[in-house]
Structure formats: C-alpha cells, structure tokens
Amino acid sequence: MIKSIFYTRFHPEKGPTVLHQVPEGSIIPCPPSPTAQTPLFDFSAISDFIIPRREFCDRLVTVCASHHRVIGYPVCIHAPQRYERIEFIFNFAIVLDEAADFSGYLSVVRKLAVLFRNLEEQGGFLSREEEMEGLIVAGQEGYGGGAKVYALCEMILEDLNNYCECMIPIDESNTLNLKLFPMHPPPAPIHSYHVPLSTVRLSSLATSTWDLTMSRILPYINGINSVAQIAQRADTDFALTRKAVAHLLYYGCILLLDVFQFGAIYAPTAEIGAFFGDEALQDECRRYVATAPPVLGDPGGSRNGGGGGRGGGSISRATILRLYASLKQGLILKAWCIEHRALLPGIDVRRFVTFGVIKGFLYRVHKYAIASRASGPEVDAAEHELLRSRKRNAEREWRAAATSSGWATPTAAAPEEEEAVDPARADHGMGNGSGTTAREREGRDLLPLARYLDGAHCVDEICAELRIGEREVLAKLKGYGDVHETCRASAKVAIERTAWDSKATPTLFLILAAAAAAAALHAAGAAGARARPEGRRERAH
C-alpha cells in the first residue's frame, strides 16, 4: 500500500524542494490543519538521493529511511534556452513500508517519470505551473488544492491503493494509464511425472484468444493425468505442454502433485501436529475424502464401519486422525489399505492422500536407482552397435540427399573404411541395420536407462519419459548391473522433518514417542529371540 506520493524538483535558489505531497504533511511539515499528519521521515536527510546530480538521473533510486522505502526516478532535462539553471531536474516518488514488497511499484514509478518528462518537453507542463500566480505549494498555509499536479498525485494514490490501476486524462492528447501487476516467484521446474491439479475452474477462464496448446490441454487437467499423459492425450508437443503448465502454475491456477500409486510410500511431515489440533481442517478433510457427503453434526466420534460410509454415514475425526497417523516410512499404500480396510469404506483413498499432500502434512517418498557399475558386455556391445548404426544411417541419408539434389555421385568409401559385415549376422539383417540379435536388443533396451541411474532421477520420472510401468523399469534394472534402489524425500521435506514444528501438540508428541518406544522394545525382543540358543528356544516352547 502506498503511504505517500510527492513531487519534488531542484529549485534554482532553494535547492531540492517538495512542491506537492499527498497526504498533506507526509513529507514536509504543514501549518496546523485538521488533515495534516506527521512527516514519515526527514526529507532533508535523503534529499541528495531524491534529487541527485545529473550523472545519477534517469535511473531508479530506492532509499530507506525511518522504516519507510522511497522509490523514485529522477529526471534531468537539459535545455539551456528554456531553464534558468540550464537543467530541469524533478522526481515523482512514492513511499511504502520498508518491509512491503516493492517489485510491482518499480514499473509504475518508471512510467510516471517517462510520462511527465514527455509532457514537460512537449509544452512545459511542470515548469509552467510554477509560473502561475497564487500557486500554493507544500508547506505553505492553504495548501491542498487548485494545482493540477496535486490533483494528479491525489488521484494516483487513491486509485492505485483502491483498484491497483488508474486511467486519468491529462489533456486532449495524453492520458495516464497505470496498473500494479502482482509479481510472483518463478514457478518450480515442471517434470513429466508431475500431476497438475486445478485450484480454479479453468473452463470459465478460457477464451477464444488463448494459446492453442493451452486450450487443448485444459480438458485433461483433472488431478490424475501427469504432464506427459496430458501431452499424449491432447496430441500436443511436450515442451509446449510443459510451458503452458508452467504459466498456469505461475498464476496460481494449479498445484503440482506426484503420480498417485498404490505402490508408493507416503509419510507425515512435522505439519501433522497443526492438523491434529485444527478441527475445522479435519472437518474439511472429512468432506473432501468422503465418497458420500458425511454427517458433520457428530464430531466425536462414531466410527464408520462396513459400508455405512458409502450409504451416507459419517466419517469421524478420530478415524481421519488414526489413518493419517498410521502412514509411515517403509509402508507402501497398498499394504496400508489392506491393514486398515475396516476403516476405509466411505473414504476415497486417492483424495485422502491428495488432501494431505496439498495441505503439506504428507509427503511422497520417491524411489531412486543408483548404478555403481554397468554389467559390461551387453550394454557396451549395444552402445557400440547403436553408434555404428547411426553412422551408417547418416551416411546413407547424406548420399541419398546428394543424389536427389543433382550433385555428383558421392565417392564411395575406401575399402579400409567400409565396415566389415559378418555373414552370419548378415543373414539376420545386421549388415544393413534391419535386424538385431536377442542379446543386442536386450542391451539396447538398457541404454535409455543409463542416464537415469545417477540418483537424481526418481522412478516416476523414468516411467513417464520412457512410457513404461514401474514393474517393467525395475525388471530392466536387474539386468543392468550393480544397481541399488533407495527411497528418500526431497530436501525441503527432509529439513522439515529434522526441525519438528513447535506447534505440534504435546499429546501427539507423547503418542509418537510411545509408538517409537514400543517399536524399539519389539525390535529388541525380536533380536533377543534370534540370539537365543536353539535348545533354550525349544525348552521355552
């Protein structure tokens, strides 16, 4: 929010002078009046920055004083025949809170400076006002109206604060148009396995002027299809689809989720404590995950059982909390559903997981494959054969293009440069690249996986880009060589888990501590049973 707008210029006799200010008294003190206020800062302390030397004009200037930020764009017009001091230096500046985001106001200040520079150069709009008889400037008694520049400052302040835009006619040929555009952070990188989920009704925003790719992908943004699937089903280029999704993410029209799979692992973050203490959020979750509208009149606690949830029965808060608390590392969602099948009737599992991820108290544990060394013969042979095949194809295409263009027939390669063709392989079509052995086909299948085995690409990304299922990917990795599979979360989630949220309720902390202690005792008992001698174990039985 703009606290003040003021117009100042370098006076030939008085130096830097504030001629107009809105509100009254916000920059320099005014004679006592009902509407005057205390100055926001000491103007004389920063006047050298607001009205600088000629070398520092025509660029943005930002000064902080008394917990306020002053943004200006000093302008210097050099005209020896027109001005007494050869130059006319002025500045229209705005004042904001020091902690406020000022990125959206930079373009406004720059445009104000350019407009008033043009007005001054065309007809002396600013300098002629000072020549008017009876002009009252800021700091004088009776100031507050009559001057056109003051009226412009007042309308700019009110319109930008109330409507974030203004359109003010100045004369018959000039109009002031300003608009505050929200500045959003750059969107996160869009990957092929990301699933966009709309937060607004996209169909109501679409118009005939929208980009063709954007119009074609909108029907497929449903919170289920990944970016790769959207591009395939909409028959659009993947790069353009990803760019369109990035635009929607930038303006807050969608959220990015992971591909929902029953073979995935989900675990709670530190924010689960805030969810346990927020009954309104729990009720929102009950409404979102229910396959039938739940009855919210009974907060305590009837448990849904059997098929009652699908018939319109209630899902209690206790059931929701118990289900979320039971998610943990190492437990795939399929096993979790089997373990809690008595509590799940009436609950949409996909929406149950999605709600936790959107609110930030659940995160997805991704699988990564890391290769310490390749298996050797199959991959090396396939890579060598692939390079030879590409070279042969390039040579063949070049010769065909040269011949069809009317050039001289390309000279044949020297005998020592020709690739020897094994007759046994020629029978299978290997001489011209038309066939492969089973071993080499297997090696070629492994080649696309090589660039994903550095620990930086999750299995979801591999599946989305190669368009194969997770089971097939894991089966191919077994033939690649020494490949280790690991599960981990993103760095952000890992940091959140190390710093437990101070808002977590003590009851929840005690519950989790008791669960950890019980798990430790169980593990210790199991280890003792394994260490017990066989004879003693038999006597115990």
Side-chain angles (χ1 to χ4, degrees):
M1 182 177 178
I2 300 176
K3 292 294 191 67
S4 173
I5 293 182
F6 64 97
Y7 163 61
T8 178
R9 87 166 188 95
F10 186 84
H11 193 273
E13 300 176 356
K14 303 177 183 178
T17 305
V18 177
L19 299 180
H20 296 289
Q21 58 181 350
V22 179
E24 298 179 38
S26 57
I27 307 301
I28 59 175
C30 285
S33 66
T35 58
Q37 67 177 52
T38 305
L40 301 176
F41 51 85
D42 183 8
F43 175 75
S44 60
I46 63 171
S47 60
D48 291 338
F49 302 100
I50 303 301
I51 301 294
R53 296 182 179 180
R54 179 180 179 182
E55 294 78 12
F56 297 97
C57 290
D58 298 315
R59 65 191 67 191
L60 282 170
V61 176
T62 302
V63 183
C64 293
S66 302
H67 305 289
H68 292 87
R69 185 183 302 273
V70 183
I71 306 175
Y73 194 100
V75 176
C76 177
I77 301 177
H78 184 75
Q81 296 80 10
R82 181 185 297 182
Y83 305 116
E84 181 180 352
R85 292 286 296 266
I86 301 177
E87 297 173 341
F88 186 81
I89 302 176
F90 70 93
N91 193 352
F92 278 86
I94 64 174
V95 183
L96 309 171
D97 282 329
E98 184 177 0
D101 182 18
F102 63 94
S103 56
Y105 293 92
L106 299 179
S107 60
V108 170
V109 174
R110 186 183 293 108
K111 190 170 184 179
L112 271 176
V114 172
L115 174 67
F116 283 105
R117 181 192 187 104
N118 293 335
L119 291 175
E120 175 64 22
E121 290 177 343
Q122 290 173 7
F125 180 80
L126 298 176
S127 56
R128 282 192 295 106
E129 185 188 61
E130 298 182 32
E131 300 173 359
M132 295 172 52
E133 296 183 2
L135 176 65
I136 301 177
V137 299
Q140 297 179 356
E141 187 174 357
Y143 173 74
K148 194 168 186 178
V149 176
Y150 172 83
L152 286 174
C153 292
E154 189 175 31
M155 287 187 285
I156 292 171
L157 176 68
E158 294 179 357
D159 289 353
L160 290 182
N161 281 342
N162 294 328
Y163 311 109
C164 296
E165 61 182 356
C166 66
M167 185 179 68
I168 305 171
I170 298 177
D171 52 32
E172 295 180 356
S173 57
N174 294 284
T175 302
L176 176 61
N177 290 283
L178 298 175
K179 185 175 179 64
L180 286 175
F181 291 95
M183 300 297 293
H184 302 287
I190 309 295
H191 296 290
S192 56
Y193 61 90
H194 280 149
V195 177
L197 175 67
S198 62
T199 57
V200 297
R201 193 178 296 276
L202 296 175
S203 58
S204 62
L205 301 177
T207 63
S208 58
T209 60
W210 273 32
D211 178 72
L212 180 60
T213 302
M214 183 74 74
S215 302
R216 296 184 67 171
I217 69 172
L218 288 185
Y220 301 99
I221 298 179
N222 54 8
I224 300 176
N225 296 327
S226 64
V227 176
Q229 291 172 334
I230 291 173
Q232 181 180 4
R233 297 180 180 181
D235 193 19
T236 55
D237 181 71
F238 175 73
L240 295 179
T241 302
R242 185 165 58 179
K243 186 175 293 187
V245 172
H247 279 288
L248 294 175
L249 181 64
Y250 177 79
Y251 290 105
C253 298
I254 61 172
L255 299 173
L256 290 183
L257 307 175
D258 295 303
V259 177
F260 175 79
Q261 295 177 347
F262 282 95
I265 300 174
Y266 297 90
T269 67
E271 297 293 333
I272 191 69
F275 174 72
F276 272 50
D278 192 341
E279 293 185 353
L281 189 59
Q282 295 170 21
D283 290 339
E284 181 184 352
C285 177
R286 294 164 64 194
R287 291 189 293 268
Y288 184 78
V289 307
T291 56
V295 180
L296 299 182
D298 180 17
S302 60
R303 182 179 68 83
N304 59 309
R310 299 184 184 275
S314 65
I315 304 172
S316 68
R317 295 173 185 160
T319 300
I320 295 294
L321 298 181
R322 180 179 176 183
L323 289 174
Y324 277 122
S326 60
L327 292 168
K328 58 184 179 181
Q329 286 267 11
L331 179 64
I332 64 173
L333 190 61
K334 180 180 178 181
W336 177 85
C337 291
I338 296 175
E339 182 180 349
H340 299 86
R341 58 184 178 274
L343 300 176
L344 293 178
I347 295 178
D348 189 328
V349 177
R350 184 184 65 83
R351 295 172 70 89
F352 176 84
V353 172
T354 300
F355 184 87
V357 174
I358 292 174
K359 297 301 182 180
F361 59 84
L362 275 190
Y363 71 96
R364 166 80 182 276
V365 181
H366 286 282
K367 295 180 182 179
Y368 294 84
I370 305 174
S372 56
R373 60 181 178 87
S375 57
E378 293 84 356
V379 178
D380 293 341
E383 185 174 3
H384 180 65
E385 178 60 32
L386 184 61
L387 293 176
R388 292 176 58 191
S389 176
R390 288 178 178 174
K391 183 178 179 181
R392 287 195 301 268
N393 292 337
E395 180 75 13
R396 189 182 303 110
E397 291 176 2
W398 176 75
R399 290 176 182 275
T403 304
S404 63
S405 301
W407 300 347
T409 304
T411 57
E416 59 272 12
E417 296 178 357
E418 290 286 347
E419 299 181 13
V421 179
D422 187 0
R425 297 173 64 192
D427 294 338
H428 294 84
M430 286 299 296
N432 56 7
S434 61
T436 57
T437 63
R439 182 178 181 180
E440 287 169 343
R441 282 198 302 270
E442 181 181 358
R444 287 192 182 188
D445 291 341
L446 298 176
L447 279 178
L449 293 176
R451 66 188 184 95
Y452 298 107
L453 304 183
D454 56 356
H457 304 274
C458 64
V459 175
D460 283 355
E461 182 178 358
I462 300 175
C463 295
E465 295 192 0
L466 299 184
R467 298 183 182 180
I468 56 179
E470 181 178 345
R471 182 176 301 177
E472 187 177 353
V473 169
L474 298 179
K476 289 180 180 295
L477 291 177
K478 293 180 180 178
Y480 190 85
D482 190 6
V483 179
H484 301 279
E485 181 183 327
T486 180
C487 296
R488 69 173 186 266
S490 62
K492 179 181 178 181
V493 175
I495 293 174
E496 290 177 351
R497 287 180 60 81
T498 56
W500 183 261
D501 192 351
S502 60
K503 295 182 291 184
T505 58
T507 305
L508 174 63
F509 179 78
L510 293 176
I511 291 174
L512 296 178
L521 291 175
H522 179 73
R530 287 193 298 269
R532 189 182 300 137
E534 187 69 24
R536 293 185 60 186
R537 201 158 51 235
E538 291 178 357
R539 287 194 297 272
H541 285 295

